[in-house]
Amino acid sequence: MFVRTRFAPSPTGYLHVGGLRTALYAYLFAKQHQGTFILRIEDTDQSRKVEGATEKLIDALEWAGVEFDEGPGKEGVYGPYIQSQRLPIYHEHVKQLVDQGKAYHCFCTPERLERLKAEGGTMYDRHCRNISMDEARRRVSAGEPNVIRMKIPDDGELQFHDEVRGDVSIAFSTIDDQVLLKSDGFPTYHLAVVVDDHTMAVSHVIRGEEWLPSTPKHILLYQYFGWEKPKFAHLPLLLNPDKSKLSKRQGDVAVEDYRAKGYLKDALVNFVAFLGWNPGDEREIFSMEELVKEFSIERVGKAGAVFNIEKLNWMNQQHIKLQSESKLLPLIKPLLKLKGWDSFSDEYLQQVIGLMKERVVVTDDFVTSCPYFYEDPLSYDETSRAKNWKPETTGYIAKLIERLQTLVLFDAASVETALRTTADEFQVGAGKLIHPMRLAVSGAANGPSLFHMAEVLGRERVVRRIQKALEMLR
């Protein structure tokens, strides 16, 4: 099967997770069929353009591993891939439509259109549709501002097949005479997307559900130009937990936000892939390579997909567990540097990662949830102190220090033996020493295995911290 897909975002500032899903699905479909994935920047609405946004989009896609084959900086024979650089192409094609009587010049002023809307008009009233071609040319030559609209048939309906929705039928009476070329000479989305998809040989248009009502206009343009239309697949909406449309008002929606918060790219891609698609069995954790192999448009659902942050957190935990310490290390070192904790050896940090990776949700947790690996406790958990540090605790801990100082090997097993031997000597349960020792060493009430934590910290740090706690907590 010949496959060329595209992702065509507007450069408005950041990559929305919904945009990432669209790009991901188009990428997976192309790669599965040994096809080509294109990035095209749709910047014809110059009022929404944000400086530097294209570079941010490309960076976010590359971070996620959704790498395009053709696009800005990767020019192919179908370029340029930025719409504002393609204006002569659109002008040529819209002139063809006007000459064939399939589009017309509209001279209605913004004030008239606003008045029409205020009077309850939901569509353009076709006021300029029957102006003769000669009169239209004369008014254009005279410099009168105008737009170009496409002619929609007066009656009938347009039927098409959508790869997700199935057969769709939309009456022409519900479709506006769409503006194709604005008065500033820039095309609207509707003209540009059809011309670009055809001239870039796009075989499958995979995009969000919000474009479904516009699809008849696009198919009609394919018919007007005499072109074969691509296959369409409209993806379900992304929803907040309350079933409203996913928006920034209710939380983070930018890929950059999740990247900054310490989510792994593999986890975010895995999570986004499941927002509308599933493999048909119980499997939930996938690598990009596995997604390429398993993905299919046929298994994309119609119903809106809920963006569940708890599910993303769980997936991120699973992916962290699957990563080696050496793979996680480069992600964590910059975070430590920001805190001024950049003097530790890679070997030490990998031991910390190995001990903590079963307990963290995001990579930031390797820093924020266990500061005791990087500095002595600055305070002690008050609840644990009240519950676990009794007057008699001082004697137990003092004896434990003696044993820890004389250990030949300072590893987890030896530390555990020393603690349990001390507890037996005082005829108390091991918990009477475990909780106070954890408090002394970490300042916290909970954490990873105490004995393994002691091994990673080493004898010098552990003994020093316990001695300090004896002074501070007596």
Side-chain angles (χ1 to χ4, degrees):
M1 189 195 319
F2 174 79
V3 172
R4 282 174 62 85
T5 64
R6 49 71 167 176
F7 175 51
S10 299
T12 55
Y14 61 88
L15 178 60
H16 190 288
V17 288
L20 175 60
R21 185 190 62 171
T22 300
L24 176 64
Y25 283 12
Y27 170 85
L28 295 175
F29 187 78
K31 294 301 139 187
Q32 188 178 74
H33 293 90
Q34 291 77 51
T36 302
F37 173 60
I38 306 160
L39 175 66
R40 185 173 73 226
I41 302 299
E42 300 198 337
D43 64 342
T44 56
D45 187 347
Q46 294 288 290
S47 65
R48 298 179 65 220
K49 187 176 178 181
V50 175
E51 200 62 40
T54 297
E55 292 75 16
K56 285 183 181 177
L57 277 166
I58 291 172
D59 180 63
L61 286 172
E62 289 181 345
W63 171 79
V66 183
E67 298 202 22
F68 54 93
D69 302 301
E70 297 175 20
K74 294 183 180 178
E75 299 298 323
V77 296
Y78 298 95
Y81 297 91
I82 297 176
Q83 285 186 334
S84 59
Q85 298 172 8
R86 297 171 60 81
L87 296 185
I89 300 172
Y90 307 131
H91 291 171
E92 173 194 339
H93 283 88
V94 81
K95 182 179 184 301
Q96 178 184 332
L97 293 177
V98 172
D99 290 347
Q100 293 174 349
K102 293 168 181 172
Y104 61 95
H105 291 277
C106 172
F107 300 93
C108 291
T109 63
E111 291 76 20
R112 182 182 186 276
L113 296 175
E114 280 299 319
R115 197 162 58 247
L116 193 67
K117 190 184 296 184
E119 292 168 357
T122 57
M123 297 198 304
Y124 177 59
D125 63 359
R126 299 179 171 180
H127 179 73
C128 296
R129 182 160 164 154
N130 295 318
I131 293 174
S132 71
M133 201 170 286
D134 286 341
E135 181 185 347
R137 284 172 180 157
R138 178 181 57 75
R139 292 170 72 172
V140 170
S141 296
E144 188 173 344
N146 69 97
V147 300
I148 294 178
R149 294 180 180 271
M150 71 183 291
K151 284 185 179 178
I152 303 294
D154 292 320
D155 49 38
E157 61 182 17
L158 194 143
Q159 298 178 338
F160 64 96
H161 180 79
D162 185 86
E163 299 299 304
V164 174
R165 308 279 153 183
D167 293 329
V168 179
S169 178
I170 297 181
F172 286 126
S173 61
T174 65
I175 304 173
D176 208 352
D177 274 15
Q178 180 66 52
V179 174
L180 299 177
L181 195 71
K182 295 176 285 186
S183 58
D184 62 2
F186 277 83
T188 61
Y189 170 83
H190 306 282
L191 174 68
V193 73
V194 170
V195 171
D196 287 345
D197 283 343
H198 174 74
T199 57
M200 292 182 183
V202 170
S203 64
H204 294 75
V205 171
I206 299 171
R207 61 188 179 188
E209 180 183 291
E210 64 270 21
W211 294 113
L212 186 64
S214 298
T215 304
K217 301 174 189 177
H218 303 164
I219 293 175
L220 200 56
L221 283 173
Y222 278 100
Q223 293 175 356
Y224 284 175
F225 285 121
W227 297 336
E228 182 181 351
K229 69 180 185 297
K231 291 186 176 179
F232 292 94
H234 288 89
L235 310 178
L237 290 174
L238 296 190
L239 306 175
N240 292 303
D242 65 1
K243 301 301 174 71
S244 61
K245 187 177 178 182
L246 186 67
S247 71
K248 202 167 182 65
R249 288 192 301 277
Q250 295 201 31
D252 296 320
V253 296
V255 170
E256 292 89 338
D257 292 332
Y258 293 99
R259 180 181 180 182
K261 286 185 172 182
Y263 288 88
L264 298 183
K265 65 177 183 179
D266 293 342
L268 187 61
V269 164
N270 190 166
F271 173 73
V272 165
F274 271 67
L275 293 174
W277 170 86
N278 69 78
D281 54 36
E282 298 302 311
R283 291 173 299 159
E284 293 186 280
I285 304 303
F286 285 78
S287 66
M288 182 69 88
E289 293 73 22
E290 290 166 333
L291 287 171
V292 168
K293 182 180 176 184
E294 296 285 346
F295 180 78
S296 66
I297 291 291
E298 291 75 23
R299 294 209 60 82
V300 174
K302 301 176 186 178
V306 174
F307 191 101
N308 185 329
I309 192 68
E310 287 79 18
K311 188 71 170 185
L312 172 58
N313 288 341
W314 176 81
M315 279 192 171
N316 206 58
Q317 284 179 303
Q318 307 314 305
H319 278 277
I320 284 176
K321 290 175 186 178
L322 291 171
Q323 295 291 326
S324 67
E325 286 78 358
S326 60
K327 281 268 187 76
L328 291 167
L329 183 63
L331 303 178
I332 292 155
K333 288 179 78 172
L335 305 175
L336 290 168
K337 188 170 185 178
L338 288 173
K339 288 275 196 177
W341 293 335
D342 52 354
S343 60
F344 300 98
S345 69
D346 288 359
E347 181 185 6
Y348 175 77
L349 293 176
Q350 288 190 54
Q351 287 180 300
V352 173
I353 293 168
L355 199 52
M356 289 299 298
K357 73 176 186 175
E358 294 285 327
R359 304 179 63 84
V360 302
V361 176
V362 293
T363 53
D364 286 29
D365 292 342
F366 283 107
V367 178
T368 58
S369 71
C370 54
Y372 43 81
F373 281 117
Y374 316 111
E375 65 180 8
D376 289 357
L378 303 175
S379 61
Y380 301 93
D381 183 89
E382 286 298 328
T383 302
S384 179
R385 178 178 181 176
K387 182 179 179 181
N388 299 308
W389 201 284
K390 305 298 184 182
E392 63 273 19
T393 301
T394 301
Y396 305 157
I397 296 299
K399 186 64 178 177
L400 176 59
I401 290 175
E402 290 180 21
R403 281 207 165 89
L404 294 177
Q405 287 175 317
T406 61
L407 288 177
V408 176
L409 273 179
F410 198 84
D411 59 12
S414 302
V415 173
E416 181 174 6
T417 299
L419 184 141
R420 294 189 183 280
T421 301
T422 305
D424 290 344
E425 183 178 320
F426 286 101
Q427 296 184 327
V428 295
K432 295 291 184 183
L433 280 81
I434 289 174
H435 299 301
M437 180 179 169
R438 179 183 295 281
L439 186 65
V441 171
S442 69
N446 301 293
S449 158
L450 171 63
F451 308 118
H452 289 89
M453 179 169 66
E455 179 181 337
V456 170
L457 287 168
R459 188 197 317 263
E460 182 187 342
R461 283 196 194 95
V462 169
V463 169
R464 182 181 70 239
R465 292 181 183 186
I466 296 175
Q467 287 173 333
K468 180 185 174 184
L470 280 174
E471 297 171 11
M472 299 288 291
L473 301 176
R474 65 173 70 249

